[in-house]
Amino acid sequence: EQKASTNRSPALFSNELQQKVLDTQVILEGLQQATERRQLYLCYQPIVSAKDSTFCSFEALLRWDFAGRFIGPDEFIPLAEKSGLIKEMGAWVLNRACMDASQWQHAHNAAVSVNVSVIQLMDDSFIRALDNALRSSGLSPERLHLEITESVFVDNKVKIKQQLEAIQKRKVLVSIDDFGTGYSSLSQLQSLAVNQVKIDKSFVDNIENNGEAIIRATLFIASELNCKTVAEGVETLEQAQALKAMGVDYLQGYYFAKPMPNEQLIEWQNPVTDVTVTE
Ligand code: C2E
Ligand code: MG
Ligand code: MG
Ligand code: MG
């Protein structure tokens, strides 16, 4: 993670004009090659229990170094979705993440949380790719969580429902990512059984202002629907303490750890930062 950002070449890409030289087409071709040549890799970020700060799971986040320039998934995933490359890429991510998790000696009970694109989820090949990843890694399905962004709930609800049911039939858990930022209505949320809700970073950032009310409302809904809650983008002790006091189940963010490559993760010692407020 750290390495990727310092790898950026300031001399080559110092101004916006030069940035634009790498236009969409170039990025897309690079991405295609990276997928074929296995130049993509995963970083993992710990998700800890709010109760005692021990880690429970790790979110897999896709990384790509393109000719020394770091391009984030927020930039390349939409391109991969548009071009259809996401299916192949997503299947690779699922496989890699399950394989890595199956070999985590120090975290043999921890789950791996994998982001799944709408387009990937809605494709007929998705359940096959899922079964394949579980079978070839031998990972127990309870140790796999899939993170789906709320916008998926917009179209073709019947198909989404079927896909989510097929996933849950396999005992794989489903989380809604970036909760509160999408377009879903609460009734849709209720009709689709999900296991976990991830509170978006933007609400954590604004916890001092109106973020708190939204987080409290989310926690209420989640408890009514029997969902666990995760707060994303926790950067300070104060945020962690406030979220814990409100009753959030799990915390994730730079305050605990940044995403790290698997090689680093297997040597990672959880500092177990106690976030309890002592009176
Ligand atoms: P996301 O799933 O909501 O992931 C959380 C993002 O917040 C990650 O950005 C993570 O590095 C970042 N983050 C975590 N804690 C903190 C913090 O304390 N402060 C700040 N400033 N950021 C924090 P990243 O890795 O750039 O990923 C961005 C998005 O790209 C992800 O958002 C996800 O939607 C998508 N993505 C990443 N990997 C994959 C993938 O394998 N497949 C798909 N379909 N999407 C992916
Ligand atoms: Mg996510
Ligand atoms: Mg998120
Ligand atoms: Mg996001």
Side-chain angles (χ1 to χ4, degrees):
E1 187 71 357
Q2 220 72 59
K3 198 180 123 250
S5 45
T6 50
N7 264 352
R8 235 183 277 202
S9 167
L12 269 173
F13 299 107
S14 53
N15 63 50
E16 246 177 279
L17 188 75
Q18 278 164 322
Q19 295 261 355
K20 281 184 186 144
V21 174
L22 288 176
D23 66 1
T24 309
Q25 195 50 39
V26 177
I27 294 179
L28 202 51
E29 276 163 26
L31 203 52
Q32 184 111 40
Q33 276 194 358
T35 309
E36 285 160 11
R37 297 181 188 169
R38 314 272 152 101
Q39 289 163 342
L40 299 169
Y41 62 98
L42 291 177
C43 278
Y44 294 96
Q45 186 180 32
I47 298 173
V48 307
S49 157
K51 211 166 78 197
D52 57 11
S53 298
T54 54
F55 60 77
C56 301
S57 54
F58 297 90
E59 179 173 3
L61 295 158
L62 195 54
R63 294 292 177 262
W64 177 35
D65 281 312
F66 183 42
R69 184 195 177 210
F70 179 75
I71 302 175
D74 275 335
E75 204 176 329
F76 69 75
I77 295 282
L79 292 177
E81 286 178 331
K82 262 199 204 135
S83 67
L85 194 59
I86 193 72
K87 288 172 213 162
E88 196 182 335
M89 198 182 274
W92 179 84
V93 168
L94 254 181
N95 263 314
R96 187 70 261 159
C98 289
M99 203 64 94
D100 286 345
S102 73
Q103 291 165 6
W104 290 338
Q105 298 297 335
H106 71 315
H108 52 266
N109 290 319
V112 66
S113 207
V114 176
N115 291 286
V116 173
S117 155
V118 193
I119 294 169
Q120 195 190 345
L121 177 74
M122 296 294 267
D123 195 75
D124 287 325
S125 67
F126 180 74
I127 298 297
R128 235 179 304 130
L130 175 66
D131 284 336
N132 185 48
L134 287 170
R135 195 180 334 103
S136 59
S137 64
L139 187 76
S140 152
E142 292 89 352
R143 291 184 57 206
L144 178 62
H145 299 173
L146 300 179
E147 298 191 5
I148 294 152
T149 37
E150 223 186 333
S151 58
V152 301
F153 300 102
V154 177
D155 351 275
N156 204 342
K157 283 170 224 158
V158 176
K159 175 85 176 178
I160 288 163
K161 205 168 171 188
Q162 284 171 354
Q163 295 293 76
L164 295 188
E165 280 166 4
I167 292 166
Q168 288 170 325
K169 211 175 114 200
R170 287 157 173 80
K171 300 206 165 65
V172 170
L173 297 190
V174 175
S175 303
I176 304 188
D177 207 348
D178 306 337
F179 186 78
T181 61
Y183 310 90
S184 81
S185 73
L186 298 178
S187 62
Q188 280 169 353
L189 235 189
Q190 193 179 29
S191 70
L192 302 162
V194 295
N195 310 98
Q196 200 160 261
V197 166
K198 296 192 82 172
I199 298 163
D200 192 65
K201 180 180 186 301
S202 56
F203 305 117
V204 174
D205 286 342
N206 284 311
I207 203 164
E208 308 263 289
N209 304 312
N210 46 12
E212 179 172 344
I214 293 168
I215 295 170
R216 287 198 190 277
T218 305
L219 292 175
F220 177 74
I221 296 154
S223 77
E224 291 289 299
L225 299 175
N226 271 319
C227 285
K228 294 284 183 193
T229 51
V230 185
E232 305 185 296
V234 181
E235 293 184 341
T236 68
L237 174 63
E238 290 70 30
Q239 289 170 345
Q241 286 174 333
L243 291 160
K244 180 183 177 173
M246 281 183 224
V248 174
D249 297 301
Y250 303 104
L251 307 171
Q252 175 182 10
Y254 293 175
Y255 176 68
F256 297 96
K258 286 196 169 180
M260 53 195 136
N262 194 49
E263 306 82 70
Q264 211 173 310
L265 178 73
I266 54 184
E267 288 170 10
W268 181 70
Q269 301 276 334
N270 187 6
V272 192
T273 327
D274 188 7
V275 300
T276 307
V277 190
T278 44
E279 265 129 296

